[in-house]
């Protein structure tokens, strides 16, 4: 109960107190857009780290050296929890937009911060609108902004060690830009909140970054089914890391 209350206070408090911050960031952007973007990134990352601390979440990170620091990338991960975003975004070395479900665009203040940080909102039912979102994501990568997507399409609420099929369309971001794909394997994140809703439990989770995948270096068959290729890598890593949280 205490952890849930603390996280709720931090989240709501941040959104309310950040109203003048959004205005200040807007002013900074008039003179120096890059400074505004990095400032906004670090502010939100700080809030996310505070949320993880209040939630009692311990994160074991493996393979962070696999994330290039000198170019935009496409992060691809499995998705079991709302905390997947909090955990992974807190570690992004540079500007990164997440692709989220379009219903989040309706949440006041949160959507303002998401748009400020180059997040995009995906309509899952309208194919045409979905394609527009992917095209926008491609443009953002070309402009130096990394993107992150969870290609299962929704949170996996059943067996967290078995991944749902990846949507192949999301891989177009890497195919069209040539940017590397960084596989992200997340273990035990649903145990923070979703597995015992509505309570938040102190939890040990594992985040592993796989080696970069460059689509142009793959065989024609693997390029054709890039989503399945990436899903296999992440699925194998998730199973490999199962149980790490119990050993620590």
């Amino acid at each position: 109960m205490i952890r849930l209350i603390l996280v709720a206070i931090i989240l709501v408090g941040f959104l309310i107190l950040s109203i003048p911050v959004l205005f200040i960031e807007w002013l900074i952007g008039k003179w120096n857009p890059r400074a505004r973007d990095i400032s906004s990134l670090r502010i939100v990352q700080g809030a996310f780290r505070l949320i993880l601390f209040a939630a009692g979440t311990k994160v074991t990170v493996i393979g962070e050296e696999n994330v290039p620091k000198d170019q935009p990338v496409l992060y691809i991960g499995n998705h079991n929890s709302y905390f997947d975003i909090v955990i992974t975004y807190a570690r992004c070395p540079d500007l990164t937009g997440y692709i989220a479900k379009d219903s989040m665009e309706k949440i006041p203040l949160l959507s303002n911060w998401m748009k400020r940080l180059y997040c995009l909102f995906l309509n899952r039912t309208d194919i045409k609108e979905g394609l527009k979102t992917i095209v926008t994501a491609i443009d953002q990568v070309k402009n130096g902004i990394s993107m992150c997507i969870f290609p299962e399409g929704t949170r996996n609420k059943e067996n967290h060690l078995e991944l749902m099929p990846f949507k192949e369309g999301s891989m177009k971001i890497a195919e069209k830009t040539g940017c590397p794909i960084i596989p992200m394997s997340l273990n035990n994140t649903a145990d923070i909140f979703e597995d015992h809703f509505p309570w938040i439990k102190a939890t040990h989770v594992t985040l592993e970054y796989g080696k970069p995948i460059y689509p142009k270096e793959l065989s024609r068959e693997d390029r054709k089914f890039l989503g399945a290729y990436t899903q296999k890598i992440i699925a194998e890593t998730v199973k490999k890391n199962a149980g790490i949280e119990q050993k620590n």
Side-chain angles (χ1 to χ4, degrees):
M1 170 79 82
I2 295 297
R3 295 189 188 282
L4 176 66
I5 293 172
L6 285 174
V7 169
I9 289 173
I10 293 169
L11 181 58
V12 175
F14 172 79
L15 291 176
I16 293 174
L17 294 175
S18 68
I19 294 174
V21 177
L22 279 168
F23 178 70
I24 293 170
E25 293 287 89
W26 177 79
L27 288 177
I28 293 173
K30 289 291 186 181
W31 285 274
N32 193 329
R34 173 67 180 176
R36 174 205 61 201
D37 289 344
I38 294 299
S39 174
S40 295
L41 171 68
R42 302 308 179 207
I43 288 169
V44 173
Q45 286 182 322
F48 280 179
R49 291 190 186 104
L50 185 58
I51 286 174
L52 291 173
F53 176 78
T57 304
K58 177 185 176 183
V59 184
T60 291
V61 181
I62 303 170
E64 200 159 24
E65 68 278 2
N66 289 323
V67 182
K69 306 299 190 294
D70 58 351
Q71 65 180 126
V73 304
L74 174 63
Y75 295 100
I76 295 289
N78 59 308
H79 193 23
N80 298 323
S81 170
Y82 291 118
F83 275 84
D84 295 338
I85 294 94
V86 179
I87 292 165
T88 57
Y89 194 79
R91 308 198 72 87
C92 291
D94 208 333
L95 296 176
T96 304
Y98 278 52
I99 296 181
K101 56 185 178 181
D102 57 351
S103 59
M104 297 191 72
E105 192 173 10
K106 301 175 184 178
I107 303 176
L109 295 178
L110 178 61
S111 61
N112 293 91
W113 274 106
M114 291 178 72
K115 291 174 183 176
R116 173 64 54 82
L117 293 166
Y118 299 96
C119 293
L120 302 175
F121 302 95
L122 181 66
N123 187 325
R124 298 173 184 169
T125 58
D126 189 322
I127 295 177
K128 186 176 180 180
E129 289 301 314
L131 286 173
K132 287 182 181 179
T133 301
I134 296 301
V135 169
T136 302
I138 290 169
D139 289 340
Q140 291 193 168
V141 171
K142 289 179 179 178
N143 288 325
I145 300 163
S146 295
M147 295 301 300
C148 177
I149 190 167
F150 299 100
E152 289 172 285
T154 186
R155 285 180 295 117
N156 187 343
K157 302 173 185 177
E158 302 300 330
N159 185 346
H160 303 316
L161 297 181
E162 296 292 335
L163 276 61
M164 296 184 290
F166 280 10
K167 311 293 184 184
E168 293 287 345
S170 58
M171 301 296 159
K172 295 294 182 184
I173 300 170
E175 291 177 32
K176 298 295 185 181
T177 63
C179 77
I181 295 170
I182 302 298
M184 298 189 303
S185 306
L186 291 144
N187 282 75
N188 210 38
T189 55
D191 198 41
I192 302 172
F193 180 59
E194 284 80 2
D195 283 353
H196 38 78
F197 177 87
W199 312 121
I200 289 176
K201 185 179 93 174
T203 306
H204 180 196
V205 305
T206 305
L207 165 63
E208 179 164 348
Y209 296 97
K211 292 186 180 299
I213 300 169
Y214 293 90
K216 291 182 179 179
E217 297 179 0
L218 300 178
S219 67
R220 180 179 296 181
E221 184 70 10
D222 287 336
R223 286 200 306 271
K224 183 178 180 181
F225 300 103
L226 189 53
Y229 179 86
T230 307
Q231 192 252 25
K232 182 181 178 182
I233 291 173
I234 294 174
E236 289 174 351
T237 308
V238 166
K239 290 178 181 177
K240 172 181 73 74
N241 290 337
I244 285 181
E245 58 276 1
Q246 279 81 37
K247 297 175 184 177
N248 289 269

